[in-house]
Amino acid sequence: MEYPQFKSNLVFVDHRGTFAPLSLNSYDKEWLQSNVSFNPQIYTLRGLHFQVGEKSQAKLIKVITGSIVDFIVDIREDSPEYMILYSYDMKPGDELLVPRGFAHGFMTTSFNTIVQYLVDNDYSPESEGSIYWKEVDRLYDNLNSYVLFGELTDDIIIMSDKDYLTKNFKLNK
């Protein structure tokens, strides 16, 4: 059974800017697609997303600029870690391998955050699902600790309509 892998990588900085390699050889995967997410606002939340069955996806997450709190939940029903929340503070150069069978999401903790992620399977709308972030034990408290003033509310957080409306994953607790 595969588990998440976190690496803090070197970022090279000089007068031109930054350079951060992505460690493709460190993982035994064939990446099919590279996605880039630009998030101009702090407290932008994406996720928790997953695909099931043969279209399940592993993801390699890399922060290019800004910072995020990345969170994943093991949704493999046969796993001893089923429904366990993992959370990672990520800054430029950090990368996280998210295995198949995990729901994934992140929240930006700074403005103008760019996140790149590679996936090892094609996107399949028929196989996709998501978990509403407030349905995951301890996630609210975890994310709330990043709010500079007050509490994390629906007025502060920036989400897609699709993520707000999701209720299609039944939590088997």
Side-chain angles (χ1 to χ4, degrees):
M1 198 166 269
E2 195 173 16
Y3 290 94
Q5 298 175 39
F6 177 80
K7 280 184 15 182
S8 187
N9 282 332
L10 291 176
V11 176
F12 302 96
V13 180
D14 65 18
H15 67 281
R16 300 167 295 171
T18 60
F19 175 80
L22 186 61
S23 305
L24 296 179
N25 293 345
S26 299
Y27 308 101
D28 187 24
K29 303 279 180 205
E30 281 190 43
W31 303 110
L32 296 185
Q33 183 174 322
S34 174
N35 302 307
V36 176
S37 168
F38 173 64
N39 308 277
Q41 297 299 317
I42 193 170
Y43 310 132
T44 299
L45 191 144
R46 295 180 182 266
L48 294 128
H49 302 140
F50 61 90
Q51 290 188 180
V52 294
E54 291 183 13
K55 292 297 184 175
S56 183
Q57 293 178 322
K59 296 177 181 178
L60 180 58
I61 313 300
K62 177 139 185 135
V63 175
I64 306 300
T65 62
S67 58
I68 64 173
V69 56
D70 198 287
F71 40 90
I72 59 177
V73 174
D74 190 341
I75 59 172
R76 301 171 296 184
E77 291 186 2
D78 61 339
S79 170
E81 307 292 321
Y82 181 69
M83 294 310 298
I84 298 293
L85 171 69
Y86 298 84
S87 178
Y88 304 88
D89 291 324
M90 296 182 67
K91 60 190 181 318
D94 290 347
E95 60 187 52
L96 173 66
L97 176 66
V98 179
R100 291 180 179 203
F102 282 75
H104 169 260
F106 67 85
M107 183 181 79
T108 60
T109 55
S110 63
F111 292 96
N112 298 316
T113 297
I114 299 174
V115 178
Q116 176 185 23
Y117 60 99
L118 307 180
V119 294
D120 73 343
N121 212 342
D122 293 319
Y123 171 67
S124 171
E126 301 80 29
S127 301
E128 78 173 326
S130 55
I131 304 171
Y132 187 59
W133 69 281
K134 288 184 179 178
E135 294 179 353
V136 177
D137 287 342
R138 300 184 335 272
L139 185 54
Y140 173 79
D141 291 336
N142 184 310
L143 295 180
N144 199 50
S145 69
Y146 292 90
V147 177
L148 299 176
F149 303 102
E151 289 189 39
L152 192 61
T153 64
D154 289 340
D155 296 335
I156 293 174
I157 206 161
I158 299 167
M159 291 177 60
S160 70
D161 290 342
K162 183 178 176 180
D163 286 346
Y164 266 119
L165 299 174
T166 188
K167 300 284 185 189
N168 62 353
F169 184 75
K170 303 299 180 218
L171 300 178
N172 300 323
K173 295 183 185 176

